[in-house]
Amino acid sequence: MPNIIVFPGSFDPITVGHVDLVKRAIPLFDKIIVAVGLNTQKKALFSLEQRMEWLRQVFAEDPRVEVDYFEHLTADYCRRIGANYLLRGLRNASDFDYEKTISQLNHIIGDGLETIFLISQPSYSHISSTIVREIIKGGGDASPFIPSSIHIAPTPGNRPSH
Ligand code: ADP
């Protein structure tokens, strides 16, 4: 049975921090599924299609990385596709506090689903999709924080979409 790990997130948009995490997890698993979670509580800046297109573009060269999306519970999605592991990144203590509870819940409702945490590299620990969105909305250049293969035009006043 292949060892499949799911990297769930909003990826609104993907950043170099996300890419670093995936690259470091690749040698540890047979397959990584980068899965965009549709969160009804969060209004995304970029459409699901756009976010998935960027993810596919960034990981196009690596057959071990697949891109998907899911609705509802992450644990149910993992069960459906036969994944036993979740990948999450830790940048700081607030990430830890938040992730600890979620991983404990997923372990229970996911019948032993394990969350594997990778500590962010120091050079990426200040990077978040939130910061990137703010830069884009403010009309700034977000290119230092996003993969070089994708281009996001600065669009002041960019409005959220589904
Ligand atoms: P979510 O909305 O689920 O937090 P994100 O797309 O913001 O989704 O993040 C997905 C995962 O990537 C989270 O585990 C987050 O901690 C991790 N992550 C985000 N940015 C970085 C970074 N710069 N370095 C390491 N991990 C990161």
Side-chain angles (χ1 to χ4, degrees):
M1 208 172 71
N3 257 341
I4 303 173
I5 190 163
V6 168
F7 184 26
S10 309
F11 305 106
D12 185 33
I14 182 171
T15 70
V16 287
H18 295 132
V19 176
D20 181 62
L21 229 56
V22 170
K23 289 203 167 145
R24 289 163 58 203
I26 282 175
L28 309 174
F29 293 89
D30 297 313
K31 196 198 277 187
I32 298 191
I33 301 183
V34 184
V36 182
L38 289 179
N39 187 337
T40 47
Q41 308 295 314
K42 271 194 198 170
K43 197 99 174 132
L45 179 61
F46 297 103
S47 69
L48 172 67
E49 292 71 26
Q50 177 65 88
R51 285 179 276 161
M52 290 183 69
E53 190 185 313
W54 280 328
L55 289 168
R56 285 200 195 95
Q57 220 172 302
V58 169
F59 298 113
E61 302 292 307
D62 201 320
R64 288 165 300 180
V65 183
E66 283 180 17
V67 176
D68 197 4
Y69 77 96
F70 65 97
E71 289 180 274
H72 312 302
L73 295 178
T74 312
D76 287 343
Y77 170 71
C78 289
R79 189 178 294 118
R80 180 155 56 83
I81 63 163
N84 295 321
Y85 302 96
L86 283 174
L87 175 65
R88 295 292 285 178
L90 295 178
R91 286 163 291 192
N92 47 45
S94 18
D95 271 359
F96 174 78
D97 282 343
Y98 173 77
E99 297 290 343
K100 179 178 159 232
T101 315
I102 307 280
S103 83
Q104 287 168 335
L105 290 173
N106 278 328
H107 193 259
I108 297 166
I109 64 171
D111 303 323
L113 180 63
E114 294 287 3
T115 306
I116 306 298
F117 294 104
L118 293 181
I119 305 278
S120 171
Q121 298 211 50
S123 50
Y124 294 126
S125 60
H126 60 291
I127 299 172
S128 67
S129 295
T130 308
I131 295 293
V132 170
R133 286 195 301 275
E134 289 310 309
I135 294 171
I136 293 164
K137 285 194 269 184
D141 175 16
S143 59
F145 312 112
I146 57 177
S148 55
S149 56
I150 69 169
H151 299 283
I152 306 179
T155 44
N158 213 338
R159 289 283 172 264
S161 61
H162 293 289

